[in-house]
Amino acid sequence: MGVPHISNPSEQGGRQSPSWSRRGILTALGAVPAAALTGCSGSADASSTTTRASASASTKAATKAVVTVTPADGTRHADFAAPVEVTVTDGTLASVTATGDGGGLAGTLNEARTKWTSTGNPYSGTTYKVSAQVTGAATQTAAFTTASPSATFVGYFTPEADSTSGVGMPVSINFTEAVTDRAAVQQAITVTAEPAVEVVGHWFSDTRLDFRPEAYWAAGTKITLGLRLKDVQGADGVYGTQSKDVTFHIGREQISTVDLAAKTMTVRRDGRATASYPVSGGDAEHTTWSGIMVISERFKQTRMESSTVGLGDEYDISDVPHAQRLTTSGTFVHGNYWASASVFGSSNTSHGCVGLHDTKGANDTSVPGYEFYDSSMLGDVVVVQNSGEVTVDPANGLNGWNLSWADWKAGSAL
């Protein structure tokens, strides 16, 4: 799974001024224009007096204006969970900017232009410079640094960035820490599709959030995952760190149906049947899960041990060919070289997996195990019917398609 990284744009800043106090109090000082010295006429004296009076009033007004920034100038561990504010008394704000390592903060002025508030919170662990222009006075600046969170979490996502998957692949995110504020975290994540379709999130647990549409993705769909988790509080004192967009693609549609009463698997590609294979499923004591399952891992060869699935020492095969995972609990569709070829299509003899005839070494291109593996990709759908077993738990693998759309949406926090 991919672990996104956060990029930080270069720092921007305004001119520095020593007039900012450590308590974040600014006195905006205006320039005093010199009085005009002209001839001795009465009209000239009146004009000069008026000019001096106007300058005196301007100086008085500018001197009275006091600007306050929150967090205060010089703060080293400022709160990053609250907006930045700039206020002025006895004056008006012409403009305010706030820039930092993570980019600028947008903000709005109130109608009286006496208060500016950032529309978002500052990033954690970032130095910001604030520039405030009071009408009729010089620009003043201040700086502060936000605190870094003591505990963080990230979300590991499936599928991989820039990968191509089958039509059944959900966007699945597993968090490194338990999430208690599910709404805040889910609101910080978007999944969009081209062509457009409604995509909804479903919480399987406090560490897993999956996204899917009502029906399988359309072939050729482009999916974009937007992570805006940086500084989102997922649990008390635990904050996200990711801010990133990643894209995935959906390839052709392949849906394979396994009928364990008939002991056959039929493969359909883009709606057209392309292959049919004899198979062997789980026996009466080790029935195969029924329902809709999605290929989540693929191995040309892999080791399978019965002890890992709670079956003691019944088997340990070091080189199972063409294995494709269907459930977290250990269900695979895979090649089988140790059973007689006559078993496939006639008997269900496995410990719960779906087996196809294969050869040792995984290099024989003529056998069903190789052919099916070669035609498959992550995210392809495998539907198991007539197995004698209940429907697989939707959380057991990437198998949320077993939930109705109403039940899926009921698992959303939004």
Side-chain angles (χ1 to χ4, degrees):
M1 308 190 172
V3 183
H5 300 282
I6 304 168
S7 60
N8 293 323
S10 61
E11 180 177 295
Q12 303 175 36
R15 292 175 293 165
Q16 299 294 318
S17 170
S19 61
W20 291 80
S21 76
R22 279 299 189 186
R23 296 185 299 276
I25 306 300
L26 301 171
T27 303
L29 301 176
V32 181
L37 301 177
T38 59
C40 298
S41 70
S43 60
D45 289 342
S47 175
S48 177
T49 300
T50 300
T51 300
R52 288 193 298 272
S54 176
S56 176
S58 176
T59 301
K60 182 179 181 180
T63 302
K64 287 173 60 180
V66 177
V67 176
T68 304
V69 173
T70 306
D73 180 42
T75 302
R76 297 176 65 93
H77 301 286
D79 184 8
F80 57 84
V84 177
E85 294 182 347
V86 179
T87 60
V88 63
T89 56
D90 297 322
T92 59
L93 293 167
S95 65
V96 176
T97 61
T99 58
D101 299 337
L105 288 174
T108 58
L109 285 163
N110 65 357
E111 186 175 353
R113 304 186 73 85
T114 57
K115 183 177 182 179
W116 179 93
T117 306
S118 65
T119 53
N121 296 338
Y123 283 149
S124 62
T126 303
T127 298
Y128 285 89
K129 294 180 180 179
V130 180
S131 297
Q133 171 72 64
V134 175
T135 303
T139 299
Q140 302 295 306
T141 63
F144 62 87
T145 300
T146 52
S148 295
S150 58
T152 60
F153 72 92
V154 298
Y156 291 95
F157 53 84
T158 297
E160 294 283 350
D162 301 318
S163 63
T164 298
S165 304
V167 298
M169 178 63 77
V171 177
S172 183
I173 304 171
N174 287 274
F175 302 104
T176 54
E177 299 289 339
V179 172
T180 56
D181 193 342
R182 295 185 179 186
V185 170
Q186 187 175 338
Q187 194 166 29
I189 300 172
T190 58
V191 178
T192 56
E194 300 175 29
V197 65
E198 183 183 13
V199 182
V200 176
H202 179 97
W203 289 88
F204 282 114
S205 70
D206 57 10
T207 58
R208 178 180 170 188
L209 172 63
D210 283 16
F211 290 84
R212 53 157 269 210
E214 182 174 5
Y216 302 137
W217 305 101
T221 296
K222 176 184 176 182
I223 303 168
T224 300
L225 168 64
L227 296 170
R228 295 295 178 269
L229 292 171
K230 183 169 174 57
D231 298 335
V232 173
Q233 187 169 223
D236 188 23
V238 184
Y239 295 87
T241 63
Q242 295 159 295
S243 184
K244 189 178 181 69
D245 291 327
V246 293
T247 57
F248 325 112
H249 295 85
I250 300 299
R252 78 292 178 276
E253 178 190 76
Q254 180 164 297
I255 300 173
S256 302
T257 301
V258 177
D259 184 340
L260 289 181
K263 302 169 188 64
T264 60
M265 177 167 65
T266 302
V267 181
R268 302 185 70 86
R269 174 78 64 85
D270 296 324
R272 183 176 63 87
T274 57
S276 180
Y277 302 111
V279 299
S280 179
D283 63 24
E285 295 183 1
H286 309 92
T287 48
T288 304
W289 293 114
S290 66
I292 303 168
M293 288 171 264
V294 172
I295 297 174
S296 58
E297 286 186 293
R298 304 178 73 235
F299 306 96
K300 183 179 179 181
Q301 289 191 121
T302 191
R303 182 180 183 180
M304 291 188 179
E305 295 180 82
S306 54
S307 62
T308 64
V309 292
L311 294 176
D313 59 357
E314 291 195 27
Y315 60 85
D316 184 353
I317 305 170
S318 63
D319 57 352
V320 177
H322 303 123
Q324 302 187 87
R325 182 183 291 276
L326 301 179
T327 70
T328 306
S329 62
T331 307
F332 284 77
V333 53
H334 62 76
N336 180 329
Y337 65 79
W338 52 91
S340 169
S342 63
V343 166
F344 304 97
S346 63
S347 303
N348 290 322
T349 61
S350 80
H351 288 83
C353 292
V354 176
L356 299 94
H357 177 56
D358 211 324
T359 55
K360 189 177 179 66
N363 292 316
D364 186 345
T365 62
S366 68
V367 291
Y370 179 97
E371 291 177 1
F372 180 64
Y373 182 88
D374 189 54
S375 73
S376 301
M377 66 169 56
L378 294 174
D380 279 352
V381 177
V382 177
V383 182
V384 176
Q385 301 173 342
N386 302 317
S387 68
E389 185 54 271
V390 298
T391 300
V392 66
D393 187 321
N396 187 2
L398 303 177
N399 300 326
W401 301 103
N402 292 287
L403 289 173
S404 69
W405 188 231
D407 287 342
W408 181 267
K409 293 175 78 171
S412 172
L414 301 180

